[in-house]
Amino acid sequence: MIYLGEQIDAKEKFYQAVNCWVNKKLLGSYKKNKNPDGYKCDINNCEVCEINFHKYDAGEFTNFILEHIEKIIKSRPSELLRIENELKQKWIEEGFGNEAAFNSESKKLFVEKGYNGWFLDYAINYNLSEWLDQHTCAYCNKNYILVSRKKSGEKGINCQFDHWFDKANHPILALSFYNLIPSCSVCNSSVKSISNFTTNTHLHPYIDKDISERFSFSYRFGDSGENEISIANEENLDIKTRRTLKDLSTKLVYKRHNSKELQDLIDLRKKYSDNYLKILIEDTFSEKLNISREECYRLIFGIELDSENHHKRPFSKFKKDIISELLNNT
């Protein structure tokens, strides 16, 4: 897992889009005579408001939810469950219905109409990907998730967005900014899926700034007769980090790279002179070409050295850790 940063600008752009959509969807467009209570956007040339949406009659849920849209969309990950429970309790106390009714209304608006019918159908997921500008999966840092549109601007290739709090059990959070994690299809569908993650039990890519320092990749000679990727001092890691790595199947996800990326790095160390890696990094590139260590790692290994840039190249965290271990063993 890699840290995604605060992403304040992307959050504001996304909130504006969601706010316009949900108000226009529930209230309809403002028309002086026909719909004086409709939504009137104050953003010039708003792309969302230029689309003609069919108005959705959510009944009592309309006025109840509109005053809480900003906190539903913009609140920090650690606050989302509390907000969900508070709104659920308020819904019940004000006599609108029970918990099942609250979840049902939330599912219709935020999942069916919102996530499926607007976010995906109208390519808002492409906009969000471009605003975030994350190049690899936040969970594995192994697969590119670059967005690419067709020449006409229509849908092309994009990442998937995992719901940290799954939308089946937390439908009201289906469009919450910090609940949408840019990920690859493997991690979203096959690895994490609807696993029960919380901010108390697992590391979160929008909260834990020190994710890259919490653990290190390593390797060992396995029973299979080949070098195998492992986690350094795994038994001594804090329980939150261990649980995150386990539930994201990190070792399994990287397993098929034992004979590829891992072995390539080991070969560089063992098939040449004992200090070949050191000579390559510190002498050949750094001194003779007069380039920075970061540029050196990018040219030789195709990775980003600084943790804040790990997302820009696949395997950056993994290769950095393995190279560090190999250099220390020379």
Side-chain angles (χ1 to χ4, degrees), residues 134-329:
Q134 294 295 307
H135 300 179
T136 60
C137 175
Y139 291 138
C140 69
N141 184 223
K142 188 175 73 71
N143 296 317
Y144 272 123
I145 55 170
L146 297 170
V147 58
S148 182
R149 298 180 188 256
K150 296 179 181 178
K151 288 184 178 180
S152 59
E154 296 176 354
K155 296 178 183 179
I157 301 171
N158 195 17
C159 71
Q160 294 187 5
F161 282 94
D162 172 65
H163 287 84
W164 179 266
F165 300 112
D166 70 281
K167 61 183 182 294
N169 293 309
H170 307 278
I172 199 170
L173 305 179
L175 290 176
S176 298
F177 178 81
Y178 290 118
N179 199 40
L180 294 166
I181 310 301
S183 59
C184 66
S185 59
V186 173
C187 288
N188 182 35
S189 302
S190 302
V191 176
K192 183 176 177 293
S193 188
I194 59 171
S195 299
N196 184 26
F197 278 36
T198 74
T199 56
N200 292 325
T201 59
H202 295 78
L203 300 177
H204 194 290
Y206 276 121
I207 296 178
D208 298 286
K209 298 180 180 180
D210 62 344
I211 288 175
S212 291
E213 286 70 51
R214 290 282 195 117
F215 73 97
S216 295
F217 284 102
S218 184
Y219 68 94
R220 64 183 180 84
F221 194 74
D223 298 333
S224 63
E226 68 174 15
N227 290 298
E228 297 178 353
I229 296 169
S230 62
I231 304 297
N233 301 312
E234 187 172 7
E235 65 281 359
N236 296 323
L237 297 177
D238 64 273
I239 189 169
K240 199 172 184 180
T241 301
R242 290 205 313 271
R243 185 181 288 118
T244 301
L245 293 172
K246 176 179 178 294
D247 290 347
L248 287 178
S249 301
T250 301
K251 286 192 290 185
L252 177 63
V253 167
Y254 274 82
K255 182 178 180 181
R256 295 302 298 271
H257 298 276
N258 290 335
S259 61
K260 299 182 183 298
E261 282 75 15
L262 174 62
Q263 195 58 48
D264 287 345
L265 294 175
I266 293 175
D267 287 345
L268 275 175
R269 163 65 179 85
K270 294 189 175 180
K271 288 188 177 181
Y272 300 92
S273 62
D274 285 349
N275 62 347
Y276 180 72
L277 270 178
K278 183 175 182 295
I279 293 173
L280 192 63
I281 294 171
E282 298 182 2
D283 300 333
T284 305
F285 275 80
S286 295
E287 290 187 7
K288 293 183 179 180
L289 296 182
N290 192 30
I291 61 176
S292 67
R293 193 172 182 83
E294 288 74 21
E295 290 176 298
C296 178
Y297 272 69
R298 192 181 305 121
L299 288 171
I300 301 174
F301 307 111
I303 65 170
E304 295 291 342
L305 191 57
D306 292 339
S307 59
E308 65 181 30
N309 291 324
H310 279 171
H311 76 93
K312 293 182 178 179
R313 306 274 178 152
F315 295 100
S316 286
K317 161 67 176 167
F318 162 72
K319 286 187 178 182
K320 176 187 176 183
D321 290 346
I322 298 299
I323 292 166
S324 177
E325 182 172 346
L326 290 170
L327 286 174
N328 289 333
N329 290 337

Side-chain angles (χ1 to χ4, degrees), residues 21 56 58 61 64-65 72 84 87-88 91 99-115 167-175:
W21 170 79
Y56 170 58
F61 195 65
F64 175 83
I65 207 65
I72 291 172
E84 178 188 30
L87 291 177
K88 193 179 297 181
W91 170 266
E99 181 177 343
F102 176 83
N103 287 333
S104 177
E105 294 296 334
S106 297
K107 180 180 178 181
K108 290 175 186 176
L109 180 61
F110 290 101
V111 178
E112 296 173 1
K113 307 292 183 184
Y115 185 78
K167 61 183 182 294
N169 293 309
H170 307 278
I172 199 170
L173 305 179
L175 290 176

Side-chain angles (χ1 to χ4, degrees), residues 20 41-51:
C20 283
C41 181
D42 58 2
I43 301 174
N44 292 328
N45 301 316
C46 176
E47 293 182 4
V48 175
C49 291
E50 288 179 352
I51 301 172

